[in-house]
PDB file of all heavy atoms in Angstrom:
ATOM      1  N   VAL A 217     -25.253  -4.531 -16.479  1.00 97.00           N
ATOM      2  CA  VAL A 217     -25.331  -3.954 -17.824  1.00 97.00           C
ATOM      3  C   VAL A 217     -24.602  -4.861 -18.820  1.00 97.00           C
ATOM      4  O   VAL A 217     -25.071  -5.111 -19.929  1.00 97.00           O
ATOM      5  CB  VAL A 217     -24.730  -2.525 -17.837  1.00 97.00           C
ATOM      6  CG1 VAL A 217     -24.399  -2.074 -19.245  1.00 97.00           C
ATOM      7  CG2 VAL A 217     -25.696  -1.545 -17.186  1.00 97.00           C
ATOM      8  N   ALA A 218     -23.437  -5.369 -18.394  1.00 97.00           N
ATOM      9  CA  ALA A 218     -22.668  -6.246 -19.274  1.00 97.00           C
ATOM     10  C   ALA A 218     -23.440  -7.520 -19.596  1.00 97.00           C
ATOM     11  O   ALA A 218     -23.346  -8.061 -20.704  1.00 97.00           O
ATOM     12  CB  ALA A 218     -21.322  -6.596 -18.635  1.00 97.00           C
ATOM     13  N   GLY A 219     -24.238  -7.996 -18.626  1.00 96.00           N
ATOM     14  CA  GLY A 219     -24.957  -9.251 -18.826  1.00 96.00           C
ATOM     15  C   GLY A 219     -26.277  -9.094 -19.555  1.00 96.00           C
ATOM     16  O   GLY A 219     -26.784 -10.049 -20.151  1.00 96.00           O
ATOM     17  N   ALA A 220     -26.847  -7.880 -19.534  1.00 97.00           N
ATOM     18  CA  ALA A 220     -28.189  -7.679 -20.080  1.00 97.00           C
ATOM     19  C   ALA A 220     -28.334  -8.076 -21.562  1.00 97.00           C
ATOM     20  O   ALA A 220     -29.322  -8.720 -21.927  1.00 97.00           O
ATOM     21  CB  ALA A 220     -28.630  -6.235 -19.844  1.00 97.00           C
ATOM     22  N   PRO A 221     -27.374  -7.734 -22.438  1.00 96.00           N
ATOM     23  CA  PRO A 221     -27.553  -8.127 -23.845  1.00 96.00           C
ATOM     24  C   PRO A 221     -27.181  -9.586 -24.117  1.00 96.00           C
ATOM     25  O   PRO A 221     -27.348 -10.060 -25.246  1.00 96.00           O
ATOM     26  CB  PRO A 221     -26.585  -7.199 -24.614  1.00 96.00           C
ATOM     27  CG  PRO A 221     -25.939  -6.321 -23.612  1.00 96.00           C
ATOM     28  CD  PRO A 221     -26.178  -6.897 -22.269  1.00 96.00           C
ATOM     29  N   PHE A 222     -26.683 -10.277 -23.097  1.00 96.00           N
ATOM     30  CA  PHE A 222     -26.185 -11.650 -23.258  1.00 96.00           C
ATOM     31  C   PHE A 222     -27.187 -12.590 -23.952  1.00 96.00           C
ATOM     32  O   PHE A 222     -26.802 -13.331 -24.873  1.00 96.00           O
ATOM     33  CB  PHE A 222     -25.772 -12.186 -21.890  1.00 96.00           C
ATOM     34  CG  PHE A 222     -25.108 -13.529 -21.908  1.00 96.00           C
ATOM     35  CD1 PHE A 222     -23.847 -13.695 -22.485  1.00 96.00           C
ATOM     36  CD2 PHE A 222     -25.732 -14.647 -21.347  1.00 96.00           C
ATOM     37  CE1 PHE A 222     -23.228 -14.938 -22.494  1.00 96.00           C
ATOM     38  CE2 PHE A 222     -25.114 -15.885 -21.357  1.00 96.00           C
ATOM     39  CZ  PHE A 222     -23.868 -16.043 -21.929  1.00 96.00           C
ATOM     40  N   PRO A 223     -28.484 -12.567 -23.567  1.00 95.00           N
ATOM     41  CA  PRO A 223     -29.431 -13.471 -24.246  1.00 95.00           C
ATOM     42  C   PRO A 223     -29.488 -13.223 -25.760  1.00 95.00           C
ATOM     43  O   PRO A 223     -29.618 -14.166 -26.537  1.00 95.00           O
ATOM     44  CB  PRO A 223     -30.773 -13.136 -23.590  1.00 95.00           C
ATOM     45  CG  PRO A 223     -30.408 -12.569 -22.266  1.00 95.00           C
ATOM     46  CD  PRO A 223     -29.119 -11.832 -22.479  1.00 95.00           C
ATOM     47  N   TYR A 224     -29.380 -11.966 -26.170  1.00 95.00           N
ATOM     48  CA  TYR A 224     -29.396 -11.648 -27.600  1.00 95.00           C
ATOM     49  C   TYR A 224     -28.131 -12.140 -28.285  1.00 95.00           C
ATOM     50  O   TYR A 224     -28.129 -12.470 -29.461  1.00 95.00           O
ATOM     51  CB  TYR A 224     -29.549 -10.136 -27.818  1.00 95.00           C
ATOM     52  CG  TYR A 224     -30.989  -9.711 -27.847  1.00 95.00           C
ATOM     53  CD1 TYR A 224     -31.595  -9.182 -26.719  1.00 95.00           C
ATOM     54  CD2 TYR A 224     -31.758  -9.859 -29.006  1.00 95.00           C
ATOM     55  CE1 TYR A 224     -32.922  -8.812 -26.722  1.00 95.00           C
ATOM     56  CE2 TYR A 224     -33.096  -9.488 -29.030  1.00 95.00           C
ATOM     57  CZ  TYR A 224     -33.669  -8.960 -27.885  1.00 95.00           C
ATOM     58  OH  TYR A 224     -34.985  -8.605 -27.914  1.00 95.00           O
ATOM     59  N   TYR A 225     -27.058 -12.175 -27.519  1.00 95.00           N
ATOM     60  CA  TYR A 225     -25.780 -12.588 -28.094  1.00 95.00           C
ATOM     61  C   TYR A 225     -25.742 -14.096 -28.300  1.00 95.00           C
ATOM     62  O   TYR A 225     -25.386 -14.573 -29.382  1.00 95.00           O
ATOM     63  CB  TYR A 225     -24.638 -12.140 -27.180  1.00 95.00           C
ATOM     64  CG  TYR A 225     -23.273 -12.585 -27.643  1.00 95.00           C
ATOM     65  CD1 TYR A 225     -22.669 -11.995 -28.766  1.00 95.00           C
ATOM     66  CD2 TYR A 225     -22.593 -13.604 -26.982  1.00 95.00           C
ATOM     67  CE1 TYR A 225     -21.428 -12.414 -29.194  1.00 95.00           C
ATOM     68  CE2 TYR A 225     -21.346 -14.008 -27.406  1.00 95.00           C
ATOM     69  CZ  TYR A 225     -20.767 -13.421 -28.508  1.00 95.00           C
ATOM     70  OH  TYR A 225     -19.538 -13.829 -28.943  1.00 95.00           O
ATOM     71  N   VAL A 226     -26.107 -14.863 -27.277  1.00 94.00           N
ATOM     72  CA  VAL A 226     -25.992 -16.318 -27.385  1.00 94.00           C
ATOM     73  C   VAL A 226     -27.267 -16.990 -27.892  1.00 94.00           C
ATOM     74  O   VAL A 226     -27.214 -18.116 -28.376  1.00 94.00           O
ATOM     75  CB  VAL A 226     -25.596 -16.971 -26.040  1.00 94.00           C
ATOM     76  CG1 VAL A 226     -24.158 -16.680 -25.710  1.00 94.00           C
ATOM     77  CG2 VAL A 226     -26.507 -16.509 -24.932  1.00 94.00           C
ATOM     78  N   THR A 227     -28.405 -16.304 -27.755  1.00 92.00           N
ATOM     79  CA  THR A 227     -29.750 -16.789 -28.107  1.00 92.00           C
ATOM     80  C   THR A 227     -30.201 -18.026 -27.316  1.00 92.00           C
ATOM     81  O   THR A 227     -31.379 -18.330 -27.276  1.00 92.00           O
ATOM     82  CB  THR A 227     -29.932 -17.104 -29.623  1.00 92.00           C
ATOM     83  OG1 THR A 227     -29.147 -18.235 -29.969  1.00 92.00           O
ATOM     84  CG2 THR A 227     -29.571 -15.909 -30.463  1.00 92.00           C
ATOM     85  N   TYR A 228     -29.256 -18.714 -26.706  1.00 95.00           N
ATOM     86  CA  TYR A 228     -29.649 -19.814 -25.826  1.00 95.00           C
ATOM     87  C   TYR A 228     -28.903 -19.655 -24.509  1.00 95.00           C
ATOM     88  O   TYR A 228     -27.681 -19.751 -24.463  1.00 95.00           O
ATOM     89  CB  TYR A 228     -29.326 -21.171 -26.462  1.00 95.00           C
ATOM     90  CG  TYR A 228     -29.488 -22.311 -25.506  1.00 95.00           C
ATOM     91  CD1 TYR A 228     -30.757 -22.644 -25.008  1.00 95.00           C
ATOM     92  CD2 TYR A 228     -28.403 -23.056 -25.082  1.00 95.00           C
ATOM     93  CE1 TYR A 228     -30.914 -23.678 -24.105  1.00 95.00           C
ATOM     94  CE2 TYR A 228     -28.544 -24.095 -24.172  1.00 95.00           C
ATOM     95  CZ  TYR A 228     -29.808 -24.399 -23.699  1.00 95.00           C
ATOM     96  OH  TYR A 228     -29.964 -25.421 -22.787  1.00 95.00           O
ATOM     97  N   VAL A 229     -29.664 -19.347 -23.439  1.00 94.00           N
ATOM     98  CA  VAL A 229     -29.035 -19.093 -22.147  1.00 94.00           C
ATOM     99  C   VAL A 229     -29.359 -20.233 -21.191  1.00 94.00           C
ATOM    100  O   VAL A 229     -30.525 -20.571 -20.988  1.00 94.00           O
ATOM    101  CB  VAL A 229     -29.562 -17.780 -21.512  1.00 94.00           C
ATOM    102  CG1 VAL A 229     -28.819 -17.482 -20.215  1.00 94.00           C
ATOM    103  CG2 VAL A 229     -29.410 -16.631 -22.483  1.00 94.00           C
ATOM    104  N   GLU A 230     -28.331 -20.838 -20.633  1.00 93.00           N
ATOM    105  CA  GLU A 230     -28.574 -21.812 -19.569  1.00 93.00           C
ATOM    106  C   GLU A 230     -27.793 -21.361 -18.344  1.00 93.00           C
ATOM    107  O   GLU A 230     -26.787 -20.643 -18.470  1.00 93.00           O
ATOM    108  CB  GLU A 230     -28.160 -23.207 -20.010  1.00 93.00           C
ATOM    109  CG  GLU A 230     -26.743 -23.261 -20.504  1.00 93.00           C
ATOM    110  CD  GLU A 230     -26.256 -24.674 -20.731  1.00 93.00           C
ATOM    111  OE1 GLU A 230     -26.951 -25.588 -20.297  1.00 93.00           O
ATOM    112  OE2 GLU A 230     -25.182 -24.835 -21.309  1.00 93.00           O
ATOM    113  N   PRO A 231     -28.251 -21.774 -17.166  1.00 94.00           N
ATOM    114  CA  PRO A 231     -27.607 -21.281 -15.933  1.00 94.00           C
ATOM    115  C   PRO A 231     -26.094 -21.484 -15.936  1.00 94.00           C
ATOM    116  O   PRO A 231     -25.345 -20.601 -15.532  1.00 94.00           O
ATOM    117  CB  PRO A 231     -28.279 -22.108 -14.829  1.00 94.00           C
ATOM    118  CG  PRO A 231     -29.617 -22.416 -15.380  1.00 94.00           C
ATOM    119  CD  PRO A 231     -29.430 -22.607 -16.864  1.00 94.00           C
TER     120      PRO A 231
END
Side-chain angles (χ1 to χ4, degrees):
Chain A
V217 162
F222 186 67
Y224 273 98
Y225 177 72
V226 288
T227 68
Y228 170 66
V229 184
E230 54 171 348

